[in-house]
Amino acid sequence: MLQPIADGITYLTAQSGDSLFRLFWFVVIFEFPRYTLSFFSVAAILLYPKGKQDPFLGRVTVVIAGHNEEDSIERCVLALHEQSRVPDEIIAVSDGSADRTAMKLRNLQDAGLITEGHSTQVRAGKSAALNLALSRATGDIVVVVDCDCTFDRHAIRDILEPLADPRVGAVAGNVVVRNPERSLITAFQAVEYLISISQGKQASDLTDQVSCVSGAFGAFRRKALLGVGGYDAGGGEDLDVTLSLRKAGWKTVFASDALCYTDVPDRLSVLIRQRFRWERDAVHLRYRKHGDLMNPMSPRFSLREVWHEIDFIVFNLGSAFFFPIYIVWLFATYGELGFVILLGAQAGMLALDGMAFVLAAVATPKVDTVRLIPFVPGYSFFNGFLMRFVRLGAYLQEWIFSASYRDTYVPHKVHRVRR
């Protein structure tokens, strides 16, 4: 059984540079460039850190919108009151909840812990709930948070800091996993969030390519939000509104010190459903609704936006579509040696993921990353194989069937009026 592996290793070590490129073309084309750019970007940030800006002195409103969040809404509100920069007002909306969320909001308002609590009888979707809260907000800055989030003590202060620059319309917070010990799946996601958000968005920020301010924790200049009409109906509202803000000329940036803690799915089936929804919405929003960003004939076309769109096409869509082709080609061309070559490709991916994890850990010192080290090898395989096929399935569903229009995350009546 071990002889084919030994033969494969002998074969690989005997290859020239050109031959190795032909063997591992998938990694060289679709993985190495993205990781290399991230490495250089984070290294530049560490060597030349941004200077502290003057604190933002305007009025701040936090808005919370959720559906059936009776178990988490109170903890979220209490975490906001523990901030070193306490919000000037907190507005919460229960979007047609069937549990006791509405009662919790009444109790929180009676206790003086939230400024306003609103409960709708009919579920209209998160976008409608956020727009209701936005219509009641009086702050210069609106901070949007998810009900199930808690925060580092200085998170609000740190997410406000970039807004001292009048060109900035939105700031993405640094979302990390709060429940990595819950299961193997949550541990892999904790590593993923560190690499893709804590490290990945730092690289995007350096190149002015922050294209999604997460709905879990993001700060917006209220006049910027109102200027683009608030949130449109449908899923992926965080990506949607960020692209709209960028099209309107606003800068969108990342605040790495503004830490937000969230629970992630602890079962594989739930995670897959979540990622199908995220990836379908990404395709719909980027290449249908906001397709003019890549159209040179559009008045909204700009090179600044083309780069993050091409990045998504090559490193998300491209890698997902070409990976199964790569596997079939390997075994069709090299037979039994294909398995060893595939292991070699995975070893290269593990090295890249390991370096990315170390950089993310250095760039996010407030997060306890040591306990995640044993899960990095498993994450590399999990993300490089299983989740790549999940993304492929989601992309095919959206391109062929426009499946995002049937997502139950958004009420059916909302899908009927989506653009």
Side-chain angles (χ1 to χ4, degrees), residues 2 100 111 170 235 238 260 329 337 399:
L2 296 178
R100 298 185 303 161
D238 47 3
C260 164
W329 172 81
L337 285 177
W399 280 120

Side-chain angles (χ1 to χ4, degrees), residues 181-398:
E181 72 292 335
R182 184 66 182 267
S183 70
L184 192 61
I185 298 300
T186 60
F188 289 160
Q189 289 174 84
V191 176
E192 177 194 20
Y193 273 51
L194 277 171
I195 293 175
S196 65
I197 298 179
S198 299
Q199 186 229 357
K201 283 197 174 180
Q202 286 201 43
S204 298
D205 187 47
L206 188 67
T207 54
D208 189 23
Q209 295 295 294
V210 176
S211 59
C212 183
V213 174
S214 171
F217 187 40
F220 300 85
R221 203 174 296 277
R222 185 162 66 100
K223 70 175 181 181
L225 266 183
L226 294 175
V228 297
Y231 290 88
D232 274 357
E237 71 287 332
D238 47 3
L239 173 62
D240 188 11
V241 77
T242 307
L243 293 177
S244 294
L245 288 169
R246 290 178 66 87
K247 286 162 74 171
W250 291 98
K251 285 177 63 67
T252 54
V253 302
F254 177 61
S256 60
D257 291 334
L259 291 179
C260 164
Y261 300 91
T262 187
D263 287 337
V264 293
D266 59 2
R267 290 185 292 126
L268 182 59
S269 59
V270 179
L271 173 64
I272 289 175
R273 286 198 300 272
Q274 179 198 68
R275 297 309 172 87
F276 260 77
R277 173 166 54 85
W278 287 2
E279 300 298 344
R280 289 191 301 245
D281 285 338
V283 170
H284 165 76
L285 292 168
R286 286 182 177 277
Y287 307 113
R288 289 196 175 111
K289 182 174 182 179
H290 295 283
D292 55 346
L293 290 175
M294 296 191 67
N295 180 5
M297 305 304 293
S298 169
R300 297 187 183 277
F301 173 83
S302 76
L303 290 177
R304 182 181 79 144
E305 306 309 319
V306 166
W307 293 122
H308 66 76
E309 297 287 13
I310 291 177
D311 178 271
F312 190 89
I313 289 175
V314 174
F315 299 120
N316 290 72
L317 294 172
S319 68
F321 280 107
F322 279 97
F323 186 62
I325 295 174
Y326 176 63
I327 293 176
V328 171
W329 172 81
L330 271 183
F331 286 97
T333 305
Y334 297 99
E336 289 185 352
L337 285 177
F339 178 72
V340 179
I341 297 170
L342 195 59
L343 286 180
Q346 182 56 39
M349 283 301 305
L350 175 57
L352 292 172
D353 285 329
M355 288 187 286
F357 178 81
V358 170
L359 282 175
V362 172
T364 317
K366 293 181 180 180
V367 178
D368 179 11
T369 54
V370 174
R371 59 178 173 166
L372 297 176
I373 293 174
F375 299 102
V376 173
Y379 157 77
S380 186
F381 181 84
F382 177 78
N383 188 61
F385 281 83
L386 177 61
M387 297 311 294
R388 205 187 301 271
F389 282 105
V390 169
R391 290 191 289 273
L392 175 61
Y395 299 149
L396 290 174
Q397 269 197 351
E398 183 59 27

